[in-house]
Amino acid sequence: MTQTLWLGFVLTRRELSQRYRGTVLGPLWPFLYAGLLLAMFTFVFSLVLKVRWSPADEVRPNEGALMIFAGLVPYLFIAEVLTRSATCITGVPNFVKKIRFPLALLPMVVVNSALVLAAINALILVGAVGLIWHAVPGTVLMLPMLFVPLAALGLGLAFLFGVLGVFFRDLAQVSPLLAQLAMFLAPVCYPTSAVPPAFATIIELNPITWFVTAFRNLVLDGLALPIGDWAVHSLACLVFALAAFAFFQRTRRSFADLL
């Protein structure tokens, strides 16, 4: 067990280092990317479009940009998992065919690297709130709790897409489109109040919606995470992750024949 955990850590570190190998800024790129993303949304939604998320007498400086960036933190995590897990097995056929390797680590590595990037984005968001609004609500201390169901949901998606990517190679091309669809079906770039009543149920059924709202409540609005609500979502995500893992373990014997 200890060796497996250490191998997972090594593979995650290698995954992150290879992503920025050969670049000038190296590991600074995740911070720069998040900062540039926040600057772009500030310009577009606060200065150009002047999107309002609150009544005119309650608008806070750069509120639109911060609201959207807060929604992007959980969404970018899910998008990263969806797009990379579809090829996490097919991309390393030697691991499947020629050596004894705990294949379940491959989807886990995808989730681990996505979690590191999500944590960086969350830190950038908290820093931006403190810089722009000159105060950070104490509820940000509950952010680690929010990453528990988010990681479980990511694991479930990674195991599921890892298997489906072996059986349906087209998934590697479809997964970026699914990630885009997931964003537009969640209130990432628009407030929930803007959703027509006829589509409200669809938006609520998107699992990303709860995470987007929770991130905004904790970091921007200072609203604590309801423990009961958190427990229900954590349990649901954990059950999904365990079911997807069981599906992965049951189908892994056929991977070598398909690669």
Side-chain angles (χ1 to χ4, degrees), residues 128-149:
V129 170
L131 183 64
I132 296 174
W133 291 352
H134 308 294
V136 176
T139 49
V140 298
L141 297 176
M142 301 182 76
L143 274 178
M145 293 177 58
L146 198 53
F147 276 88
V148 173

Side-chain angles (χ1 to χ4, degrees), residues 103-120:
L103 294 180
L105 276 181
L106 297 176
M108 292 180 182
V109 168
V110 172
V111 174
N112 288 343
S113 60
L115 278 174
V116 172
L117 298 178
I120 292 174

Side-chain angles (χ1 to χ4, degrees), residues 42 71 73 90 105 111 125 131 135 146 158 171 175 178 246 254 257:
T42 301
V73 173
T90 57
L105 276 181
V111 174
L125 173 64
L131 183 64
L146 198 53
L171 187 63
S175 56
L178 293 176
S254 59
D257 296 330

